[in-house]
Amino acid sequence: MNNKLKKQLIALAKRDQQATKHGKRADLVYRENVNQLKKIVEKYGWPKISEVGLKGVEAAWLVAQHADFDLEFQKKALKAIKRLARCNEVSYWQIAYLTDRILINQKKKQIFGTQFYKTKNSKIKLKPTENLKNLNERRKKFSLPPIEEYKKILLRKNYENNNKEG
């Protein structure tokens, strides 16, 4: 276990989430994080559970997930994640989320229904998705909850975020 690398990855994810939550300079933070992750990947390869633990792997995925400005990096990350998922070195749900993010960034329909948007009146809506009839079947194969359950989770989070004091 590379604890130093694990801490570094978790620190990137923490910065990412703080920037996302506060919205201030988020894009700048995302870019800095991606640059750091690229250096890590160049030196060590894509992070594996056996090397940085589950939290470290999830942190690396989060940085890639928010790298919308660097589609080529997202594609390289997805390729590495797909390869490592077969060896149980990353979680399958990461493939689903990053696949959908890349497709949406390419103005295509998503496959797994992981990407939503907020309407002007704060309703949560699913972004365009392929073959809605079989969506839950695809989601299940990648360890994702049924779309109805996922929508409830998003609605709860949206409600909590809109009703925080501050």
Side-chain angles (χ1 to χ4, degrees):
M1 184 73 67
N2 186 336
N3 285 318
K4 183 180 176 187
L5 181 56
K6 178 182 177 178
K7 286 179 185 176
Q8 188 179 0
L9 290 166
I10 291 171
L12 291 178
K14 188 174 181 180
R15 283 186 67 212
D16 176 285
Q17 290 302 280
Q18 288 171 341
T20 301
K21 190 180 280 184
H22 299 295
K24 297 175 185 166
R25 301 181 356 191
D27 201 47
L28 177 64
V29 170
Y30 296 159
R31 288 177 188 278
E32 289 171 355
N33 282 353
V34 167
N35 286 334
Q36 286 187 11
L37 183 57
K38 283 179 178 180
K39 290 175 186 170
I40 289 168
V41 171
E42 191 175 301
K43 186 174 181 178
Y44 301 99
W46 192 263
K48 300 176 185 87
I49 291 173
S50 61
E51 295 172 350
V52 297
L54 189 59
K55 287 188 185 225
V57 164
E58 289 176 358
W61 163 82
L62 182 65
V63 172
Q65 182 77 357
H66 289 163
D68 296 331
F69 53 86
D70 194 339
L71 192 58
E72 289 311 308
F73 176 71
Q74 285 183 321
K75 288 178 180 180
K76 286 178 185 174
L78 180 59
K79 187 176 179 180
I81 290 169
K82 283 180 175 179
R83 183 175 35 79
L84 292 172
R86 289 190 290 264
C87 309
N88 294 317
E89 286 286 1
V90 299
S91 301
Y92 271 90
W93 61 261
Q94 294 176 355
I95 295 171
Y97 275 86
L98 194 51
T99 297
D100 280 357
R101 192 70 167 234
I102 290 168
L103 289 169
I104 293 297
N105 285 336
Q106 294 174 321
K107 310 286 188 246
K108 296 178 181 177
K109 289 184 176 183
Q110 62 181 328
I111 297 170
F112 300 100
T114 63
Q115 303 298 297
F116 285 72
Y117 67 95
K118 207 184 278 192
T119 65
K120 289 179 183 175
N121 56 355
S122 294
K123 292 194 185 256
I124 303 284
K125 295 280 189 180
L126 182 65
K127 288 189 177 185
T129 306
E130 288 284 339
N131 190 2
L132 288 170
K133 183 180 173 193
N134 297 316
L135 179 58
N136 282 334
E137 189 178 306
R138 292 190 305 276
R139 290 178 63 84
K140 186 176 182 179
K141 288 178 184 175
F142 285 80
S143 303
L144 297 171
I147 194 67
E148 299 78 13
E149 188 179 319
Y150 186 56
K151 283 181 184 177
K152 288 177 186 175
I153 293 166
L154 291 176
L155 288 169
R156 192 173 332 118
K157 283 183 182 178
N158 185 48
Y159 176 79
E160 289 167 1
N161 288 339
N162 287 337
N163 291 298
K164 282 185 180 171
E165 289 185 68

